[in-house]
Amino acid sequence: MAVKLTEKTAEQLYGIDGITLYTAQAGIKKPDQNDLTLIDIAAGSTVGAVFTTNRFCAAPVRVAKSHLFNEDGVRALIINTGNANAGTGEQGRQDALAVCAAAAGWAGCLPNQVLPFSTGVILEPLPADKIIAALPKMQPAFWDVAARAIMTTDTVPKAASREGKVGEKHTVRATGIAKGSGMIHPNMATMLAFIATDAKVSQPVLQLMTQEIADETFNTITVDGDTSTNDSFVIIATGKNSQSEIDNITDPRYAQLKELLCSLALELAQAIVRDGEGATKFITIEVQNAKTRDEARQAAYAVARSPLVKTAFFASDPNLGRLLAAIGYAGIADLDTGLVEMYLDDILVAEHGGRAASYTEAQGQAVMAKDEITVRIKLHRGQAAATVYTCDLSHGYVSINADYRS
Amino acid sequence: MAVKLTEKTAEQLYGIDGITLYTAQAGIKKPDQNDLTLIDIAAGSTVGAVFTTNRFCAAPVRVAKSHLFNEDGVRALIINTGNANAGTGEQGRQDALAVCAAAAGWAGCLPNQVLPFSTGVILEPLPADKIIAALPKMQPAFWDVAARAIMTTDTVPKAASREGKVGEKHTVRATGIAKGSGMIHPNMATMLAFIATDAKVSQPVLQLMTQEIADETFNTITVDGDTSTNDSFVIIATGKNSQSEIDNITDPRYAQLKELLCSLALELAQAIVRDGEGATKFITIEVQNAKTRDEARQAAYAVARSPLVKTAFFASDPNLGRLLAAIGYAGIADLDTGLVEMYLDDILVAEHGGRAASYTEAQGQAVMAKDEITVRIKLHRGQAAATVYTCDLSHGYVSINADYRS
């Protein structure tokens, strides 16, 4: 029951010159569904990537990090669902390397030019043999098919495209896919997201841009506050649109391209929240007039992570004291609660440390009945702001996570 | 459906010399139930108290803090349920002061000798008139009746007693009550807990002891990670057992009394978790061999707060990778995951960064089927340890909090 999220058709997505996609059924967890995806990348492309900060990061994350900066360039991404290859120790690393070697043989590149990605259950050995056996069976696929092949508990495939001017004469295209629904509280990037563009960008500049975009998009969402072991966000720049390379962040095209990719990444990040496990509402928490951006984000996350706030949204109940309580425990030691203003959409709910005189329960109920709601909190301490996206906490969340492995 | 928690009868609780309890029906939220409690304290008693660190702390918390150290001593506690008087601004403070004044008139003391406590819905004005009108109707009550009168979403009243030697010849008695079920993630003390003892302790020493006990008991529990606006924990020492005053922490009786009261407070704190909203399981998270106690507690809380971990416990599903993931994102930047060992009760689940070779799914299932489970995590970084208590996340939690105001 995703919140206002529909599957994109192939016609709504751009092909990206220099990228070929393949999918297959490896039978890792369930039969008769694609669970293996390979993204073949043309020579000369550059790749930027950011990964989870979870200390129990998965074996493929460790391997992908070590392969990312190899001097021959990245030529393929291999992605499986059904098993995260996390909490699998040294055997997990060997399995990830074996998958890279087999994918390299198939793609005609070196093993260290392959980045592996896995998502699914943690603490179970990766069935690398099934993946390797499935490689020869892969079929070419378009982005819509790949978006479906990387899903786990997702109910809607997540894909998006953008086209825009970068530089005076050139049109740049970008297409991305993402998966994620639970264990969503990114601290680098969330679960798996892959964006490809035909722009030409040097690797160090693309790496920086990837980090900046992750911080503004995937790092602003939370479903359940659980940071995954496998979060990975990758941007591929194939350079096929014949522009000169963007090799400097002061190049005006850097900002143009970043804006275009940021818009795409934000759509994918929000799609993950809209499809958050059990989600019935899409909630935007904006904190304004904070002293620092970190402080603003801290307050926004306190509200966004609170189970009491999330169940109130699920119930469509304007039990808004729960939001004030969350702001109060967000850890801003010298917060003057008398200055805090809180709005639900455009309705002023709280000010001067209490309920606004103008607020009525009927106003609150009207907003809470919607399936997209914005909470705006003004701290009146400075000029910084942050926005965080989340969903409600429903019976669906409990059911999905109590049943996930069965 | 509290986990192994039954109501104490009057016979299981000690009266404390110097304490008289009263309850009444003020009709604050629901008719026909006691929602007002007054604890009358004999002259010469000392009182220690700790309060929530939530910046949106309730009006009664602010007033209680300002009355606690008055030079004439605290003579009464007045406690209402049904309304938290939090997020109520200046009017909330006036209401709390009016209740203190009325209670002082009834108890024959000064208004600043009364500490007010409120619990219930946030962001709604306190019906102080109803409380004041109910004071003359109060009836003497015993601890079991008072334990029931301070309940909100609690399903079982929480009370306990202890008796023990403090000093060579003297027997000390202590009885306490607590309430709390949701919005439980104390950062001083949780919700409301009141302990009275007949020991004689100077105010500064009692205040320090109260802080130390809170840190070892109420500050180690979490139900939903939400720190309340109204958390308060009070210890009253009436001094009626005719010992000389404990006025120094080096007095050997300090440690004896602290141990006795700590044991009592821990039973009450655990009772809150056992009665956690929707709880079907009582979970103990022990983190050992950490570098510091803060680090150990940080890791324990990451596991205890994770919705994914909590739903796995609810499902009795040994989906134990979720616990490793939580340890991984607990924020210990230099954690060597290869050294981490995790046990479920006495079963070694994970070591060397992966699943233990000896572990079987059947072992995990056998432990997960229990209603009391201990998770032991050894970080192998140092000598510090911490224990945290929590419960699972069930459909009951969502139902209770989605329906709470209706």
Side-chain angles (χ1 to χ4, degrees):
Chain A
M1 48 178 178
V3 184
K4 291 189 181 169
L5 182 67
T6 51
E7 182 169 359
K8 295 275 168 65
T9 63
E11 293 68 37
Q12 293 173 295
L13 301 169
Y14 300 124
I16 302 298
D17 198 7
I19 299 292
T20 317
L21 305 165
Y22 300 87
T23 58
Q25 298 180 2
I28 295 165
K29 205 172 143 204
K30 293 180 187 166
D32 303 325
Q33 66 180 36
N34 287 332
D35 51 9
L36 190 65
T37 303
L38 189 142
I39 302 181
D40 191 70
I41 303 170
S45 300
T46 53
V47 173
V50 289
F51 300 95
T52 181
T53 54
N54 193 309
R55 291 295 302 167
F56 267 104
C57 71
V61 169
R62 290 170 202 252
V63 171
K65 278 181 176 174
S66 73
H67 288 186
L68 178 62
F69 298 110
N70 88 81
E71 58 189 13
D72 299 311
V74 173
R75 294 296 305 281
L77 314 184
I78 179 89
I79 307 142
N80 74 271
T81 65
N83 184 302
N85 194 7
T88 48
E90 174 57 20
Q91 184 59 47
R93 201 177 73 89
Q94 296 299 335
D95 289 337
L97 289 171
V99 168
C100 287
W106 190 88
C109 64
L110 299 170
N112 69 356
Q113 293 183 291
V114 179
L115 306 188
F117 301 88
S118 297
T119 175
V121 69
I122 300 171
L123 211 61
E124 290 187 8
L126 183 76
D129 52 339
K130 289 188 181 177
I131 294 172
I132 292 165
L135 284 169
K137 298 186 291 180
M138 291 194 300
Q139 296 292 324
F142 195 61
W143 289 96
D144 58 328
V145 176
R148 185 168 281 280
I150 64 172
M151 286 167 52
T152 53
T153 56
D154 306 61
T155 67
V156 180
K158 296 160 188 73
S161 285
R162 290 288 187 283
E163 188 180 65
K165 272 271 169 62
V166 171
E168 289 301 308
K169 303 170 296 192
H170 286 87
T171 298
V172 162
R173 285 184 160 185
T175 295
I177 56 176
K179 65 86 38 186
S181 187
M183 205 174 262
I184 300 292
H185 186 81
N187 194 356
M188 265 331 275
T190 185
M191 295 305 292
L192 305 182
F194 307 97
I195 289 178
T197 173
D198 54 6
K200 193 170 183 67
V201 191
S202 74
Q203 205 285 328
V205 168
L206 186 61
Q207 180 61 27
L208 178 71
M209 189 184 289
T210 306
Q211 287 164 357
E212 290 183 353
I213 290 173
D215 195 47
E216 294 178 25
T217 59
F218 291 104
N219 287 2
T220 67
I221 66 174
T222 187
V223 169
D224 47 20
D226 277 283
T227 302
S228 155
T229 50
N230 291 56
D231 291 343
S232 304
F233 169 46
V234 178
I235 300 181
I236 307 160
T238 65
K240 295 290 187 188
N241 78 337
S242 311
Q243 292 192 85
S244 64
E245 186 172 77
I246 302 171
D247 61 0
N248 194 302
I249 62 166
T250 60
D251 185 328
R253 295 176 303 163
Y254 180 89
Q256 291 174 320
L257 180 62
K258 185 182 153 188
E259 188 182 341
L260 184 127
L261 297 181
C262 226
S263 159
L264 171 53
L266 191 62
E267 180 177 335
L268 293 174
Q270 292 186 352
I272 287 174
V273 174
R274 288 177 189 283
D275 197 20
E277 288 174 343
T280 73
K281 301 215 167 143
F282 179 82
I283 314 293
T284 302
I285 315 282
E286 298 176 3
V287 174
Q288 302 173 343
N289 303 116
K291 266 190 192 156
T292 63
R293 183 153 172 276
D294 279 355
E295 174 181 288
R297 190 172 280 193
Q298 192 178 331
Y301 267 127
V303 175
R305 291 183 61 166
S306 159
L308 288 171
V309 168
K310 292 162 89 86
T311 46
F313 278 117
F314 171 55
S316 301
D317 177 9
N319 195 339
L320 302 171
R322 294 177 179 180
L323 282 85
L324 282 193
I327 299 164
Y329 68 67
I332 305 175
D334 59 347
L335 180 69
D336 182 346
T337 57
L339 297 179
V340 175
E341 288 176 271
M342 185 171 76
Y343 294 80
L344 203 61
D345 281 357
D346 292 327
I347 309 298
L348 176 63
V349 171
E351 61 178 344
H352 307 313
R355 199 161 69 181
S358 57
Y359 174 77
T360 66
E361 181 85 1
Q363 289 178 320
Q365 277 167 350
V367 177
M368 291 300 272
K370 299 183 187 177
D371 56 9
E372 296 206 23
I373 299 168
T374 297
V375 176
R376 203 160 79 253
I377 297 153
K378 297 186 179 186
L379 301 182
H380 291 296
R381 291 162 57 82
Q383 297 305 314
T387 300
V388 158
Y389 306 93
T390 193
C391 56
D392 56 336
L393 172 58
S394 70
H395 285 294
Y397 180 85
V398 177
S399 294
I400 291 165
N401 285 297
D403 303 343
Y404 178 52
R405 295 206 321 173
S406 54
Chain B
M1 46 178 179
V3 184
K4 292 189 181 168
L5 183 68
T6 50
E7 183 169 359
K8 296 273 168 67
T9 63
E11 293 68 36
Q12 294 172 294
L13 300 169
Y14 301 124
I16 302 297
D17 197 9
I19 299 291
T20 318
L21 305 165
Y22 301 86
T23 57
Q25 298 181 2
I28 295 165
K29 205 173 143 205
K30 294 179 185 166
D32 302 326
Q33 66 180 36
N34 286 332
D35 51 8
L36 189 65
T37 303
L38 189 142
I39 302 181
D40 191 69
I41 303 169
S45 301
T46 53
V47 173
V50 289
F51 301 95
T52 181
T53 55
N54 193 308
R55 291 295 301 167
F56 267 103
C57 72
V61 169
R62 290 169 204 253
V63 171
K65 278 180 176 174
S66 73
H67 288 185
L68 178 60
F69 299 109
N70 88 82
E71 59 189 13
D72 299 311
V74 172
R75 294 295 305 280
L77 313 184
I78 179 88
I79 307 143
N80 74 272
T81 65
N83 185 302
N85 194 8
T88 47
E90 174 57 20
Q91 183 59 46
R93 201 177 73 89
Q94 296 299 334
D95 288 337
L97 289 171
V99 168
C100 287
W106 189 89
C109 64
L110 299 170
N112 69 355
Q113 293 183 290
V114 178
L115 308 187
F117 302 87
S118 297
T119 176
V121 68
I122 300 171
L123 210 61
E124 290 187 8
L126 182 77
D129 51 340
K130 289 188 182 177
I131 294 172
I132 293 165
L135 283 169
K137 298 186 289 180
M138 290 194 301
Q139 296 293 324
F142 195 61
W143 289 97
D144 57 327
V145 175
R148 185 168 280 280
I150 64 172
M151 286 167 51
T152 53
T153 56
D154 307 60
T155 66
V156 180
K158 296 161 188 72
S161 285
R162 291 287 186 284
E163 187 179 65
K165 273 269 169 66
V166 171
E168 289 302 308
K169 306 170 292 191
H170 287 87
T171 297
V172 162
R173 287 185 158 184
T175 296
I177 55 175
K179 63 87 36 185
S181 187
M183 205 177 262
I184 300 292
H185 185 82
N187 194 356
M188 263 335 272
T190 186
M191 295 306 292
L192 305 182
F194 307 97
I195 289 178
T197 173
D198 55 5
K200 193 169 183 68
V201 191
S202 73
Q203 205 286 327
V205 169
L206 186 62
Q207 180 61 28
L208 178 70
M209 189 185 289
T210 306
Q211 288 163 357
E212 290 183 352
I213 291 173
D215 195 46
E216 294 178 25
T217 59
F218 292 104
N219 286 1
T220 66
I221 65 173
T222 187
V223 168
D224 48 18
D226 278 283
T227 302
S228 155
T229 50
N230 292 55
D231 291 344
S232 304
F233 169 46
V234 177
I235 300 181
I236 306 160
T238 65
K240 294 291 185 189
N241 78 337
S242 311
Q243 293 193 84
S244 64
E245 186 173 78
I246 302 172
D247 60 0
N248 194 303
I249 61 166
T250 60
D251 185 326
R253 297 175 302 163
Y254 180 88
Q256 292 173 319
L257 180 63
K258 185 183 153 189
E259 188 183 341
L260 185 127
L261 297 181
C262 226
S263 158
L264 171 54
L266 190 62
E267 180 177 337
L268 293 174
Q270 292 185 351
I272 287 174
V273 174
R274 289 177 189 283
D275 197 21
E277 288 174 342
T280 72
K281 301 215 166 142
F282 178 82
I283 314 291
T284 302
I285 314 281
E286 298 176 3
V287 174
Q288 301 174 342
N289 303 116
K291 267 191 192 157
T292 64
R293 182 154 174 274
D294 279 355
E295 174 182 287
R297 190 172 278 194
Q298 192 178 329
Y301 266 128
V303 175
R305 291 183 60 166
S306 159
L308 288 171
V309 168
K310 292 161 89 86
T311 46
F313 279 117
F314 171 55
S316 301
D317 177 9
N319 194 339
L320 303 170
R322 293 177 180 179
L323 283 84
L324 282 193
I327 299 164
Y329 69 67
I332 305 175
D334 59 349
L335 180 68
D336 182 347
T337 57
L339 297 180
V340 175
E341 287 177 90
M342 184 170 77
Y343 293 80
L344 202 62
D345 280 358
D346 292 327
I347 309 298
L348 176 63
V349 171
E351 61 179 345
H352 307 314
R355 198 160 68 179
S358 57
Y359 175 75
T360 65
E361 181 85 2
Q363 289 177 321
Q365 276 168 351
V367 178
M368 291 299 273
K370 299 183 187 178
D371 55 8
E372 296 206 22
I373 299 167
T374 297
V375 176
R376 203 161 80 253
I377 296 154
K378 297 186 179 186
L379 300 182
H380 291 296
R381 293 161 56 81
Q383 297 306 315
T387 301
V388 158
Y389 306 93
T390 192
C391 56
D392 56 335
L393 172 59
S394 70
H395 285 294
Y397 180 86
V398 176
S399 294
I400 291 165
N401 284 297
D403 303 343
Y404 179 52
R405 296 206 322 172
S406 55

